[in-house]
């Protein structure tokens, strides 16, 4: 309780001041004139003025407030190395026990790792400390404790930036004689053309080692597969050439041999992701006899900026005899040898649009085309009556790679193209606009070539559920057969048209091995603070997948079907580094965070980073573990006023003077009979004295 004297004047302050001045003047006059009983006169006037001031005694009922101490526990990846986690838990338990036995202190424990955000880099302990004390008045803060390995990346420049005037202590895990090997990226490309060779520059460093070790083997993996190995000396910079093999993300993993006795192997490995960019895809379009849909393919391919198109239309076959002199013809001779022998490997896709054998291409060149497919090329046959008749391209040495064998029958009747059950799960035809209703919301076609499917997958069907679009793989290449020449009806808008652009563009890009259109694929991507695994399949089900975290821990993922043929599973991504997912037959990788995480730039425990700031606040930095491996927990000492809050074997914390006002009791001095008695007594004493 706190006692105090307060005033509540009965009159306005100016009137009370005037009365005080008048009383002082009369008292001075009585003293100067030596009037009888002048001291009593002064006392009576003083009591009167004092009574008019409304004096009262107040009693405050206050409850002392506790001091708030924040303990920030470092749970970053480097804190999991060695025995750091064990000593951290032991130190936290001991501090909690000691503060529980210490009256007047309230403990707040905050666990922190890297900063906010999916790509946050480094250990952020001071932001966690500020958050834990954000609702506490500065006068109530008793101090802070950090249990960490000393590798903190958001240290303020000066103590004033902390926002409180109290000691900061750091208890450092780990031991002094740690050693470690680190592989770092000095320079790496982010984009490159597919098939090009790029150079990645790496730095190999050994820390805590007195003398350099022997040469170290660096293993290079692309998408999980070993591609090369090189030797390097610790402390050196090495250039490693890598080849960008495909479009999309090429993930290169570089790993160095383990240093005996080193703290961790996690930073012996770095990952570089190079996005493969294809040069313009080269397409050869060969059109047979002119027909209404001839320009559909040309317009579509010319509108795609990523496609270089070479288009030939056979207008006058060699066997045509009309008497026109050769020197009067303006037609360009079909360069069969240049296209199908010398330069065939320069193309990514060859399209035969209503092509039939008319003596233009010798049979020998169809052998070249078949070889072109088996070695990684692609062929698309868009057939009409030409595919069913005797001059069909199927009656050539190309037939072994074509999946659809024509029966010779042609259906000349209206039908609506329909997506097959397999096609509903295939990326080429899945989700085509208008295909999710029955019948499909697109126009009819009027011609279909009957064929027997020898291999491959039927994605679309036509009249009487006969195959319409068939895709297959042959060797390293791909083949597609479209058994109708009426796709141009969609392009012309007949009966509302149809999704010809989406269908034909997807079809062409699947043939040219666009990664996003693979029908059997496993992908792993980073989205926010989680990784997402996607399994694309034309099968009806998929099994569980195994996710491997950067530290080697594994988790089982059970995917769910989000759309036909697409299964998805997600998991938190708490750590920075390389994640991999495996479904038993396929493997996918993704790197979360920056290429050179600050968390693993230096993993050796240290007291030097936090020492200047702690000393500025009056705190201290000390190791938890001694040379013998014993965990030493300092004593906790409360201090009210001090300049130093640390000593040998103890750490101190400020005791708060703050309190909570619960109530006030007020006792007026001149209220009631007591005040009347004092005033009457003073007047009576004055009258009695003057009467003598």
């Amino acid at each position: 309780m706190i006692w105090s004297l307060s005033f509540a004047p009965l009159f306005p302050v100016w009137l009370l001041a005037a009365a005080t001045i008048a009383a002082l003047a009369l008292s001075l006059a009585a003293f100067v004139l030596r009037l009888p009983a002048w001291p009593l006169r002064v006392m009576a006037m003083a009591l009167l003025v004092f009574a008019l001031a409304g004096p009262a005694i107040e009693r405050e009922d206050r409850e002392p407030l506790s001091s708030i101490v924040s303990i920030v526990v470092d749970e970053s990846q480097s804190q999991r190395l060695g025995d750091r986690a064990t000593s951290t838990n032991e130190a936290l338990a001991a501090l909690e026990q000691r503060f529980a036995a210490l009256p007047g202190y309230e403990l707040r424990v905050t666990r922190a790792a890297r900063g906010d955000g999916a790509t946050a880099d480094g250990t952020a302990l001071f932001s966690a400390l500020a958050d834990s004390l954000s609702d506490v008045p500065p006068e109530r803060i008793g101090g802070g404790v950090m249990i960490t390995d000393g590798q903190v990346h958001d240290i303020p420049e000066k103590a004033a930036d902390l926002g409180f005037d109290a000691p900061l202590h750091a208890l450092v895990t780990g031991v002094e004689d740690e050693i470690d090997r680190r592989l770092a990226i000095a320079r790496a490309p982010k984009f490159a053309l597919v098939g090009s060779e790029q150079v990645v520059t790496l730095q190999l460093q050994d820390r805590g080692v007195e003398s350099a070790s022997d040469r170290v083997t660096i293993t290079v993996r692309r998408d999980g597969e070993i591609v090369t190995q090189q030797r390097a000396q610790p402390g050196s910079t090495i250039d490693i050439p890598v080849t960008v093999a495909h479009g999309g993300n090429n993930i290169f993993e570089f790993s160095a041999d383990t240093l005996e006795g080193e703290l961790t192997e996690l930073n012996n490995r770095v990952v570089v992701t190079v996005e493969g960019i294809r040069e313009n895809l080269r397409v050869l379009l060969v059109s047979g006899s002119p027909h209404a849909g001839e320009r559909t393919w040309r317009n579509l391919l010319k509108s795609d900026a990523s496609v270089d198109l070479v288009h030939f239309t056979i207008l006058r076959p060699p066997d045509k005899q009309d008497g026109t002199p050769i020197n009067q013809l303006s037609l360009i001779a079909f360069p069969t040898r240049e296209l199908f022998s010398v330069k065939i490997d320069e193309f990514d896709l060859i399209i035969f649009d209503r092509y039939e054998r008319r003596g233009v291409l010798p049979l020998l060149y169809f052998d070249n085309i078949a070889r072109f497919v088996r070695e990684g090329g692609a062929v698309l046959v868009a057939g009409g009556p030409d595919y069913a008749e005797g001059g069909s391209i199927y009656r050539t040495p190309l037939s072994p790679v074509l999946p659809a064998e024509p029966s010779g029958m042609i259906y000349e009747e209206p039908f609506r193209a329909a997506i097959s059950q397999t096609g509903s799960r295939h990326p080429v035809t899945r989700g085509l606009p208008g295909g999710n209703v029955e019948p499909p919301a697109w126009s009819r076609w009027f011609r279909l070539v009957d064929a027997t499917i020898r291999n491959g997958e039927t994605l679309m069907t036509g009249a009487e559920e006969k195959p319409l679009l068939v895709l297959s793989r042959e060797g390293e290449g791909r083949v597609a057969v479209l058994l109708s020449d009426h796709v141009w009806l969609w392009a012309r808008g007949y009966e509302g048209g149809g999704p010809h652009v989406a269908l034909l563009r997807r079809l062409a890009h699947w043939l040219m091995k666009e990664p996003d259109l693979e029908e059997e694929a496993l992908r792993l991507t980073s989205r926010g603070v989680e990784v997402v695994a996607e399994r694309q399949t034309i099968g009806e089900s998929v099994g569980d997948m195994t996710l491997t975290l950067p530290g080697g821990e594994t988790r089982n993922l059970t995917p769910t079907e989000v759309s036909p043929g697409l299964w998805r599973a997600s998991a938190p991504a708490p750590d920075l580094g390389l994640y991999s997912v495996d479904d038993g037959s396929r493997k996918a990788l993704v790197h979360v965070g920056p290429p050179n995480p600050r968390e693993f730039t230096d993993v050796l425990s240290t007291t030097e980073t936090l020492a200047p700031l702690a000393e500025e606040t009056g705190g201290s930095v000390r190791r938890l573990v001694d040379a013998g491996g014993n965990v030493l927990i300092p004593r906790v000492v409360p201090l009210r006023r001090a300049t130093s809050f640390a000593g040998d074997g103890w750490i101190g914390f400020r005791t708060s003077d703050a309190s909570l006002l619960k109530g006030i009791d007020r006792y007026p001095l001149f209220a009631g009979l007591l005040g009347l008695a004092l005033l009457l007594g003073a007047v009576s004493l004055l009258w009695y004295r003057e009467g003598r």
Side-chain angles (χ1 to χ4, degrees):
M1 294 184 183
I2 299 178
W3 297 86
S4 62
L5 180 66
S6 65
F7 295 91
L10 302 177
F11 299 98
V13 176
W14 66 269
L15 187 58
L16 181 62
T20 302
I21 294 173
L24 289 174
L26 293 175
S27 299
L28 182 61
F31 171 74
V32 173
L33 297 176
R34 299 293 179 180
L35 296 178
W38 67 267
L40 294 177
R41 296 174 185 271
V42 173
M43 182 184 67
M45 286 186 288
L47 284 175
L48 179 60
V49 172
F50 192 61
L52 293 176
I57 296 178
E58 291 185 351
R59 184 191 67 176
E60 296 182 356
D61 185 10
R62 289 184 173 271
E63 178 183 354
L65 295 177
S66 60
S67 298
I68 307 297
V69 175
S70 177
I71 298 181
V72 180
V73 181
D74 184 355
E75 291 189 339
S76 61
Q77 288 176 259
S78 59
Q79 271 286 83
R80 305 173 200 165
L81 305 178
D83 295 328
R84 295 179 183 180
T86 302
S87 56
T88 295
N89 295 333
E90 188 174 340
L92 177 61
L95 288 176
E96 289 178 330
Q97 184 178 4
R98 295 180 184 184
F99 273 103
L102 196 64
Y105 284 91
E106 178 184 336
L107 198 61
R108 294 186 177 182
V109 178
T110 303
R111 300 180 183 273
R114 57 188 172 109
D116 297 332
T119 59
D121 191 14
T123 302
L125 300 188
F126 282 90
S127 58
L129 176 66
D131 291 342
S132 68
L133 298 175
S134 60
D135 61 338
V136 181
E139 62 272 13
R140 288 193 60 192
I141 298 177
V145 182
M146 291 185 175
I147 306 177
T148 176
D149 56 9
Q151 297 296 345
V152 185
H153 304 106
D154 63 342
I155 303 175
E157 294 183 359
K158 52 185 181 298
D161 297 334
L162 292 174
F164 58 83
D165 183 17
L168 175 68
H169 304 282
L171 305 180
V172 178
T173 59
V175 295
E176 294 189 27
D177 56 348
E178 295 170 337
I179 62 173
D180 187 62
R181 170 170 290 163
R182 174 178 177 250
L183 194 62
I185 301 172
R187 184 172 62 253
K190 292 185 177 180
F191 307 92
L193 293 176
V194 174
S196 65
E197 186 176 86
Q198 302 295 317
V199 175
V200 177
T201 304
L202 304 177
Q203 293 177 340
L204 182 64
Q205 303 169 347
D206 285 354
R207 298 178 181 271
V209 180
E210 295 182 359
S211 59
S213 58
D214 297 333
R215 293 175 68 85
V216 177
T217 299
I218 297 178
T219 302
V220 183
R221 292 178 174 85
R222 181 180 58 222
D223 298 331
E225 301 294 332
I226 296 178
V227 292
T228 186
Q229 289 183 330
Q230 294 200 23
R231 304 276 290 177
Q233 186 73 30
S236 65
T237 299
I238 179 173
D239 292 336
I240 299 181
V242 295
T243 301
V244 179
H246 55 79
N249 288 337
N250 293 254
I251 300 179
F252 295 96
E253 178 186 353
F254 305 86
S255 57
D257 288 344
T258 303
L259 176 65
E260 184 178 357
E262 70 172 317
L263 188 60
T264 178
E265 299 178 19
L266 291 178
N267 56 356
N268 293 26
R269 181 176 62 178
V270 294
V271 175
V272 173
T273 301
V274 181
E275 183 175 349
I277 302 174
R278 292 183 181 272
E279 291 185 278
N280 281 2
L281 301 170
R282 300 203 65 192
V283 178
L284 172 60
L285 174 60
V286 181
S287 298
S289 56
H291 67 105
E294 179 180 353
R295 298 194 64 85
T296 300
W297 283 103
R298 177 181 177 86
N299 293 339
L300 175 71
L301 295 171
K302 291 292 288 184
S303 66
D304 193 335
S306 64
V307 172
D308 284 340
L309 177 64
V310 177
H311 185 194
F312 282 93
T313 301
I314 301 173
L315 299 176
R316 189 177 188 275
D319 59 353
K320 185 175 182 179
Q321 300 296 331
D322 56 6
T324 305
I326 297 298
N327 60 4
Q328 295 183 18
L329 293 175
S330 61
L331 300 178
I332 299 174
F334 193 29
T336 55
R337 180 177 179 276
E338 288 79 3
L339 294 178
F340 296 103
S341 179
V342 178
K343 297 183 178 181
I344 186 172
D345 293 330
E346 296 181 6
F347 292 100
D348 297 289
L349 171 63
I350 299 175
I351 301 176
F352 289 101
D353 177 31
R354 285 200 59 174
Y355 177 87
E356 61 178 316
R357 291 188 297 115
R358 301 172 69 182
V360 176
L361 278 181
L363 294 180
L364 175 64
Y365 291 136
F366 288 103
D367 277 329
N368 289 345
I369 299 172
R371 176 193 55 81
F372 164 76
V373 170
R374 294 189 182 100
E375 293 181 356
V379 166
L380 168 62
V381 176
D386 56 275
Y387 193 70
E389 297 171 352
S392 171
I393 195 174
Y394 189 83
R395 316 299 178 188
T396 69
L398 187 60
S399 62
V401 301
L402 296 178
E405 179 180 358
S407 66
M409 182 182 298
I410 301 175
Y411 290 89
E412 299 277 358
E413 60 183 66
F415 67 90
R416 293 186 189 273
I419 298 175
S420 68
Q421 186 175 358
T422 300
S424 66
R425 295 190 291 266
H426 200 290
V428 170
T429 49
R430 181 179 61 210
L432 279 178
N436 56 349
V437 295
E438 185 62 37
W442 47 56
S443 68
R444 296 173 296 169
W445 294 358
F446 297 89
R447 181 183 294 143
L448 177 67
V449 178
D450 182 53
T452 301
I453 306 306
R454 299 188 300 107
N455 52 48
E457 302 290 342
T458 300
L459 304 191
M460 299 183 73
T461 59
E464 300 182 10
E465 298 187 356
K466 294 291 184 177
L468 174 61
L469 175 62
V470 184
L471 307 185
S472 71
R473 295 171 180 262
E474 294 292 335
E476 297 296 326
R478 305 182 181 190
V479 179
V481 177
L482 182 62
L483 296 167
S484 177
D485 58 343
H486 278 189
V487 70
W488 62 272
L489 293 172
W490 282 1
R492 298 283 181 87
Y494 172 74
E495 293 184 348
H500 75 287
V501 173
L503 174 61
L504 300 183
R505 183 164 290 168
R506 290 184 195 177
L507 181 58
H509 282 273
W510 178 85
L511 288 165
M512 292 182 285
K513 302 178 181 179
E514 182 68 29
D516 291 340
L517 293 171
E518 293 294 321
E519 67 271 29
E520 296 291 339
L522 179 63
R523 305 181 185 92
L524 187 63
T525 56
S526 172
R527 299 180 186 176
V529 294
E530 66 179 11
V531 288
V532 179
E534 289 186 343
R535 176 71 167 93
Q536 166 64 49
T537 180
I538 57 176
E540 297 183 355
S541 63
V542 298
D544 289 352
M545 299 180 286
T546 301
L547 178 70
T548 303
L549 277 63
E553 306 92 339
T554 59
R555 296 179 182 175
N556 188 65
L557 300 180
T558 301
T560 57
E561 191 172 19
V562 295
S563 63
L566 184 62
W567 301 71
R568 184 177 297 157
S570 62
D575 301 331
L576 300 178
L578 184 67
Y579 289 76
S580 65
V581 65
D582 192 330
D583 67 350
S585 60
R586 290 172 175 79
K587 185 176 181 180
L589 308 169
V590 69
H591 184 77
V592 175
N596 288 324
R598 296 174 67 185
E599 183 66 25
F600 291 108
T601 299
D602 188 358
V603 296
L604 304 185
S605 62
T606 178
T607 59
E608 297 178 0
T609 56
L610 292 171
L613 183 65
E615 292 174 0
E616 188 178 350
T617 66
S620 64
V621 178
R622 63 189 71 201
R623 287 190 178 272
L624 278 172
V625 183
D626 62 11
N630 302 312
V631 179
L632 305 177
I633 311 299
R635 294 180 292 110
V636 176
V637 178
L639 298 172
R640 187 169 297 276
R641 292 177 179 84
T643 56
S644 178
F645 290 84
D648 187 14
W650 64 274
I651 53 177
F653 297 90
R654 189 181 300 279
T655 300
S656 174
D657 293 328
S659 60
L660 177 65
L661 179 62
K662 300 177 66 176
I664 299 177
D665 295 328
R666 194 167 187 277
Y667 304 99
L669 295 179
F670 284 89
L673 296 177
L674 178 61
L676 181 61
L678 289 174
L679 292 176
L680 289 177
V683 173
S684 299
L685 184 61
L686 178 61
W687 174 77
Y688 171 77
R689 177 66 182 83
E690 288 191 352
R692 300 274 310 239

